[in-house]
Amino acid sequence: MNTAIFGAGRIGKIHAGNLVRQPGVTLKVVVDPDAASASALAAQHGATTGTIDGVFADASIRAVVIASSTDTHADLIERAAAAGKAVFCEKPVDLSLARARDCAAAVKRAGIACLIGFQRRHDPTFAAAHARLVAGEIGDAEMLIVTSRDPGAPPVEYLKRSGGIFKDMLIHDFDVFRWILDDEAESIHATGSCLTDPKVASVGDVDCTAVTIRTKRGRLAQINTTRRAAYGYDQRFEILGSKGMLQAGNHRPTEVSSWTDTNVSYDKPEHFFLERYAKAYALEMAHFFDALAKGAAMKTSIDDGVKALELAEAATVSWREKRIVTF
Amino acid sequence: MNTAIFGAGRIGKIHAGNLVRQPGVTLKVVVDPDAASASALAAQHGATTGTIDGVFADASIRAVVIASSTDTHADLIERAAAAGKAVFCEKPVDLSLARARDCAAAVKRAGIACLIGFQRRHDPTFAAAHARLVAGEIGDAEMLIVTSRDPGAPPVEYLKRSGGIFKDMLIHDFDVFRWILDDEAESIHATGSCLTDPKVASVGDVDCTAVTIRTKRGRLAQINTTRRAAYGYDQRFEILGSKGMLQAGNHRPTEVSSWTDTNVSYDKPEHFFLERYAKAYALEMAHFFDALAKGAAMKTSIDDGVKALELAEAATVSWREKRIVTF
Amino acid sequence: MNTAIFGAGRIGKIHAGNLVRQPGVTLKVVVDPDAASASALAAQHGATTGTIDGVFADASIRAVVIASSTDTHADLIERAAAAGKAVFCEKPVDLSLARARDCAAAVKRAGIACLIGFQRRHDPTFAAAHARLVAGEIGDAEMLIVTSRDPGAPPVEYLKRSGGIFKDMLIHDFDVFRWILDDEAESIHATGSCLTDPKVASVGDVDCTAVTIRTKRGRLAQINTTRRAAYGYDQRFEILGSKGMLQAGNHRPTEVSSWTDTNVSYDKPEHFFLERYAKAYALEMAHFFDALAKGAAMKTSIDDGVKALELAEAATVSWREKRIVTF
Amino acid sequence: MNTAIFGAGRIGKIHAGNLVRQPGVTLKVVVDPDAASASALAAQHGATTGTIDGVFADASIRAVVIASSTDTHADLIERAAAAGKAVFCEKPVDLSLARARDCAAAVKRAGIACLIGFQRRHDPTFAAAHARLVAGEIGDAEMLIVTSRDPGAPPVEYLKRSGGIFKDMLIHDFDVFRWILDDEAESIHATGSCLTDPKVASVGDVDCTAVTIRTKRGRLAQINTTRRAAYGYDQRFEILGSKGMLQAGNHRPTEVSSWTDTNVSYDKPEHFFLERYAKAYALEMAHFFDALAKGAAMKTSIDDGVKALELAEAATVSWREKRIVTF
């Protein structure tokens, strides 16, 4: 199966590397406005560089991976829908909820397969926790606590275009919330603060947040995030159920411990998402092509992308207007 | 130093046992409306049984421990203030904030020493986390996450008189919040649900809660609680600072692990507060008499009792009225 | 029940403190060649100071605690046997195996109760591991690995009179071996080295050892020890069974962890035996008086003391003569 | 660079998969007496099947991977030496020490590069522990404890040809010992027992062992192994140094923990060597081609293969003859 990828940056490289390991899948074309990046990635995997128009005109290309900048996602999804090509698209669908909804409608009308890149659902630890919950190990889920902390804030230039912390960073946590509790929000309360760098406030954003969601079935979820955890990338959640609790913990680079006259120490968590979710990205790509081959549903549909965005938008409103938002 | 104790129930026995181990301190009188309980506890420690009036009329008694039912606390504190006796009083001061404030005023006017029993501040793990934060180990505190879960709900009869989960259970967490962040709430949002037993709802209460506090200095705190954690008593907090994180974890009865073909397992946390906070109760009592002897300030004053109650009341309003409460 | 204690040093104080907490037990006399120590300890517990002869002549004294120097143990046990008093004696019975055996014979002839202070059997963690093994949790025991490390070597003056590392330090581990495997040695191999301080070698001793025991039933045990673990007192064992493994791990003073840009760290283990085995000493004393009251067998009899010494002597021979010793 | 692989079995597949991911490296020929296995592996990686003679006659093949049965290793190494091809050979060099030494001499005379597959040296956890030791984190190494347990015994047919547990299984641990302590054995004591299955004894072997090594510099090492750990593959070591201890612990498939009314449980360790050492095998292959390209020394030379075998042979003698073997 021939494929093309849009975007040859950090995440594009990851997806391309995973894509070429899928049996029977060929990376035919790499597209990136930065010609040097496109050439380098194409050369690495025996592909050629190309253009957006070229890709959509190429009938031999059956699936596209969208790993380009956020503002291109919706256009590319809609063109893929029009061209009848399957889509693997990085989150988010779009920063505008209306646009994302239109996009989802286009995808449905066209009937194309479309996966939105919430890679955490594919992480072995997170997926095992989910599977064990579904299998009944801790009874009915009652409460979910999500800890989601980045090791450091991106540049302010990035923040300006990011849509704000709720759409840029917590969108993953909102998806985790929906996936784990298999429930929808009845109301949401979000607050935030700018504590790490005044530049974040200068672009109208916050760098740490505290969110509470009450679900339609009365369950409670809390999410806490920061752009800067000095000890690295902290990705945990815990599910309290009627019969126990499941915790999904951090991963460490090695299992060495050091016992000295000061303390007993272990490695910090994996540095950032590329390390922490390396397996998740590989499994996500394998799932995409496996589901495509079987005509099965994608684990994270474009609807999931829209619904996570709805929560992000409601959280933004809750924070800005200092009020609880009810759905 | 002669002392008396009001209340010979579960917590009264703990306090009495710790009291008699303080050098130079004698338990002279035990008072309890249940004559059998009073006699048994008195006999165990070589004390006599007595009455409230008798205790306050006895000039040789310099300090009283109030471990009787909540509705007696304020009266007994005020009588102790009038009689010039030092007070060690279990939380809460009272379920009525107004009454608690009056009580605090009476204590101040009388100039008596008064400790309110927030024993968690004396727990070695919690106290070490606090001390290391104050020493600067993780820079400035930015976020606090408190997990506080009981192993099972008390009888509905108890719940009816408890003042509700925020005053009965979270009052400890509100004190932890104030102690750890050394800051006051600017606004509070609380929600809750009745998930474990419909009887809890029938008395107008909830059994799990999710609280978010924004402090005057812009820091964020989240508290999650439940009346029923199937795995036992779960008492943790974590402080995110500008330079790292401090976690205060659960204690286990033993350090045995079992490696089988199923999994690798450890003991559950200590069963409930009597086990988990056994050392804290002992250290709290030692602190009380040490501070008395030195004329030093109590670590948890009656003002701390009032302020935790203010938070509990605001949380109750936030939950009932589904709105953010601003101070 | 009136009792006396011989020895008012470090371990004597611990035992005295635990003794006076036993219901119905009174510490009547403290004996120590150092008059100041004896007086201080006696005063603390409302006892008087006395002499060895006085204690054994006092018919009201029914039990004695022997916490004096090692070279006095055998004499005092024999005098207690002659006087018909129950004995709680710190390990070892004696440095001479022949003398220890004579002592055991005297105890048996007299029919007195006699507990030898292998406190580890009373430690909650160690005892839980033992109980779970006995209950069949991991099937049949096949292998035992004991890690036993002190935080620092005692003064050379102490080492000279200690009987060597195998009798002084590993005697506890030999008792653990016998207790856990409920089996006896068929052969033993021991080696050692002087790595921490040449002074240890100058008195004919070693400071770290590696011991292997093969039991009569074919099970294998390994013990590793050092006088100096820079990170503190390390007391662990693990039992491999046909159906799994039980590990008994170290205890920590607090459950605080610190997550920084360097690592994630926990407390070192409890500093040394007084901290690590505080509960074990208390439970050991409670067991002594409980068994006395019930006429039940002591968990660690004088025979256990003799048998651990046999292993220590065989290990010493194995190390010195560089050969396997067979029983 | 063209390469060939001998052996298309379990480990051959692993090595082939890692080999083809090396940049600039091509798998040209697969050789296996089982034609179906050879064809399948060749097809998977775009290689052809071939013969031993064909591989050594093919001047375009510069390196060979030997993953065939143990009894073919020495022949193939010698033929590779004669043909001037670089060698990546699974352990052991040979079950005969004399033959292994001849082989090593042939490799040296020919001057070919030769890596022996002690993959544990490439494991991220083990390698990090080693690097931190070398960097001085815990001062001078004094003691090494190696725990090395398989999840289940191989078939008796395998055991018959395995050379016995010391050459088959502990050879890895002997290499770890030499690598970590950077020292050689002065004496060795080994004992063993047959506890899991009488069939093991029927072929003159044991299934659990306890080994002690004293090094020329006086350091001590203990190794404990079993063929059957019910809880899976247990691969740990700890190094006691003058300033602390480094532990290399097991890896888990996921970081999920489950808190129930029974206990708190974690995943068992990775199932067996293919899972546990997946990264090590990949890094080992990368190291091989990297060292080849740079003309650098292999991390595990054929001399390391010989020396580990010397220890395995001495251990076998010690166990059989019940005596300490001195070098």
Side-chain angles (χ1 to χ4, degrees), chain C residues 132 141-143 145-147 149 186-189 191-196 208-214 217-226 228-231 234 236 238-245 247 263 318 322-324, chain D residues 132 141-143 145-147 149 186-189 191-196 208-214 217-226 228-231 234 236 238-245 247 263 318 322-324:
Chain C
R132 291 167 69 169
E142 295 174 352
M143 215 181 295
I145 310 296
V146 179
T147 300
R149 300 172 185 164
E186 179 194 271
S187 66
I188 189 168
H189 168 259
T191 184
S193 209
C194 178
L195 294 170
T196 69
C208 58
T209 77
V211 174
T212 300
I213 303 174
R214 201 176 190 288
R217 284 189 268 161
R219 277 92 67 81
L220 307 178
Q222 287 195 310
I223 302 167
N224 75 81
T225 71
T226 180
R228 185 212 41 207
Y231 55 93
D234 190 353
R236 290 172 282 153
E238 64 182 51
I239 318 158
L240 177 72
S242 54
K243 295 180 182 166
M245 170 171 63
Q247 281 186 333
N263 55 39
S318 174
K322 299 187 180 182
R323 64 178 179 89
I324 299 163
Chain D
R132 291 166 69 168
E142 295 173 353
M143 215 181 296
I145 310 297
V146 179
T147 299
R149 301 172 184 165
E186 180 193 88
S187 65
I188 188 167
H189 169 259
T191 184
S193 208
C194 178
L195 295 171
T196 69
C208 58
T209 77
V211 175
T212 301
I213 303 174
R214 202 177 189 287
R217 283 189 269 161
R219 276 93 68 80
L220 307 177
Q222 287 194 311
I223 302 167
N224 75 82
T225 71
T226 180
R228 187 214 35 211
Y231 56 92
D234 190 352
R236 289 172 282 153
E238 63 181 54
I239 317 157
L240 177 71
S242 53
K243 294 180 185 167
M245 170 170 63
Q247 282 187 333
N263 56 38
S318 174
K322 298 188 181 183
R323 64 177 179 90
I324 299 163

Side-chain angles (χ1 to χ4, degrees), chain A residues 142 149 193 218 228 236 238, chain B residues 142 193 218 228 236 238:
Chain A
E142 295 173 352
R149 299 172 185 164
S193 210
R228 185 208 45 206
R236 290 173 281 154
E238 64 183 50
Chain B
E142 295 173 351
S193 209
R228 188 218 29 216
R236 291 172 280 153
E238 63 182 52

